[in-house]
Amino acid sequence: MTKEEFYSSFKVLTKAELHLHLEAVISKKTIRYFYERKHSGLSDVQADSEIAKIFTYSDLNGFIQAYLAVQDLYESPADFDYVFADLKDYLVRNGISYAEVFAAPSAFIKKGWNFSDMVETYSRNIRKINSDTGIKIRLLIDVSRTFGYENAEKNLQLLLLNMIPEIIGIGLGGSEQKGPAKLFEKVFDKARSQNLFTVAHAGEDVGPESIWDAIKICKAARIGHGISAIQDEKLMQTLVERKIPLEVCPTSNVFTKKYVKNLAEHPIRTFFNKGILVTLNSDDPLFFGVELLDEYWNAYTEIGFSVEELKQIAKNSFVASFLTNDEKSEFLRRFDD
Ligand SMILES: [Zn+2]
């Protein structure tokens, strides 16, 4: 299949994406606008070079610093209107009909923003996108490994005071080395007791023990990345037996350079062969220069999946989602059509 044929046929295939960070779907145009608003009087060349500096990193912690630098450009919760407009364009461009998206409020709350104002913009934009396009978006609030237990507890408290139907759970992102999962056990227990779904990034920057902690201690329903599971046969068997899905983001893993040197060696091939419920995701489109359709193309050309296998992986994203069984059946029926 040629690249053009591949992109056009996979674009019309209705898809879900389960590992996508809201603040990383921001477009270059919006970044540019935010940057020039904050640093007035720069020439175009100066602005380009300063923005390029933000996007220079070579590991997960460097990437997190860049992520925080971009969040620092926001001036008020109304700026999320721009980001959701970019998210809508992204979802349409990639043929995504359902997305579970991470929103990371920690840096904004530290700036003194009111969480309820943020939730209001999330809700308003998600409803508008749904009425304009039919695309359904649900949010997972990142309680974050980066800023410690108290920050995570506070994020959850704020969330519980501001619940809306569009927010369905919490996620644990950020620095895996600085913030081991065991620190966050109570936050996860409490979230589940309030009927929130719980997921965790794990095995992205730390070995299989981090994934074991995420599933045993935090009881995460899905694992973000999970690539270091390749080192642990028993863990891979457990993921199969307990049907714990992995949200795999191949290009992101090559960028952060921890366990994957190049796409051809990505462990998703082994995970799929062993029967782990793997899904394909883009993680941070702006930061890694890759969108969901690109990841399907990469999986086809670099990792060696067949078109039929990629259709199975695309279906997995609905199966592994937090949609109700009826909603899953409806999306899968649309998929088969
Ligand atoms: Zn992520």
Side-chain angles (χ1 to χ4, degrees), residues 143-145 148-150 152-153 172-173 175-189 192 200-202 206 208-220:
V143 296
S144 184
R145 294 173 180 271
Y149 175 78
E150 277 178 22
E153 164 83 26
L172 189 62
S175 177
E176 195 177 356
Q177 293 187 16
K178 282 192 212 157
K182 60 178 184 248
L183 294 181
F184 304 95
E185 180 180 10
K186 281 191 188 146
V187 175
F188 271 65
D189 283 348
R192 267 189 308 278
H201 286 57
V206 175
E209 66 277 13
S210 174
I211 303 170
W212 281 117
D213 283 355
I215 61 179
K216 280 186 172 171
I217 300 176
C218 289
K219 301 184 183 68

Side-chain angles (χ1 to χ4, degrees), residues 107-157:
F108 304 113
I109 293 168
K110 283 180 187 301
K111 285 185 193 214
W113 289 12
N114 199 330
F115 186 66
S116 61
D117 293 342
M118 294 168 63
V119 168
E120 191 277 321
T121 47
Y122 294 161
S123 173
R124 176 167 41 77
N125 279 289
I126 289 172
R127 286 172 196 207
K128 173 130 189 11
I129 291 172
N130 186 256
S131 68
D132 288 352
T133 65
I135 296 169
K136 184 172 173 133
I137 298 167
R138 290 294 175 259
L139 291 183
L140 298 161
I141 298 296
D142 178 28
V143 296
S144 184
R145 294 173 180 271
T146 307
F147 306 103
Y149 175 78
E150 277 178 22
N151 176 75
E153 164 83 26
K154 185 175 159 198
N155 284 357
L156 177 62
Q157 285 291 355

Side-chain angles (χ1 to χ4, degrees), residues 53-91:
K53 275 186 207 158
I54 297 177
F55 291 91
T56 312
Y57 36 82
S58 60
D59 59 16
L60 183 67
N61 286 317
F63 158 73
I64 291 167
Q65 291 312 312
Y67 202 95
L68 293 171
V70 171
Q71 286 184 322
D72 198 44
L73 300 174
Y74 291 60
E75 285 185 353
S76 78
D79 282 348
F80 279 109
D81 292 345
Y82 294 92
V83 182
F84 273 98
D86 292 336
L87 173 63
K88 175 183 155 187
D89 292 345
Y90 169 86
L91 296 173

Side-chain angles (χ1 to χ4, degrees), residues 160-265:
L160 294 176
L161 291 170
N162 293 280
M163 280 305 297
I164 51 167
E166 290 79 16
I167 299 178
I168 57 168
I170 61 164
L172 189 62
S175 177
E176 195 177 356
Q177 293 187 16
K178 282 192 212 157
K182 60 178 184 248
L183 294 181
F184 304 95
E185 180 180 10
K186 281 191 188 146
V187 175
F188 271 65
D189 283 348
K190 188 167 178 188
R192 267 189 308 278
S193 77
Q194 301 296 314
N195 298 318
L196 289 166
F197 295 109
T198 56
V199 299
H201 286 57
E204 177 185 20
D205 203 33
V206 175
E209 66 277 13
S210 174
I211 303 170
W212 281 117
D213 283 355
I215 61 179
K216 280 186 172 171
I217 300 176
C218 289
K219 301 184 183 68
R222 280 198 315 250
I223 297 296
H225 301 283
I227 46 173
S228 66
I230 195 70
Q231 301 171 355
D232 187 334
E233 198 63 44
K234 185 154 177 278
L235 175 57
M236 287 190 281
Q237 274 174 29
T238 303
L239 295 172
V240 174
E241 284 160 16
R242 291 174 52 186
K243 296 191 174 64
I244 297 173
L246 296 184
E247 305 148 5
V248 181
C249 315
T251 299
S252 168
N253 300 145
V254 174
F255 255 89
T256 50
K257 293 192 184 84
K258 185 71 186 219
Y259 293 107
V260 183
K261 284 195 215 75
N262 55 58
L263 288 170
E265 291 174 25

Side-chain angles (χ1 to χ4, degrees), residues 19 21 201 225 283:
H19 193 119
H21 294 268
H201 286 57
H225 301 283
D283 204 3

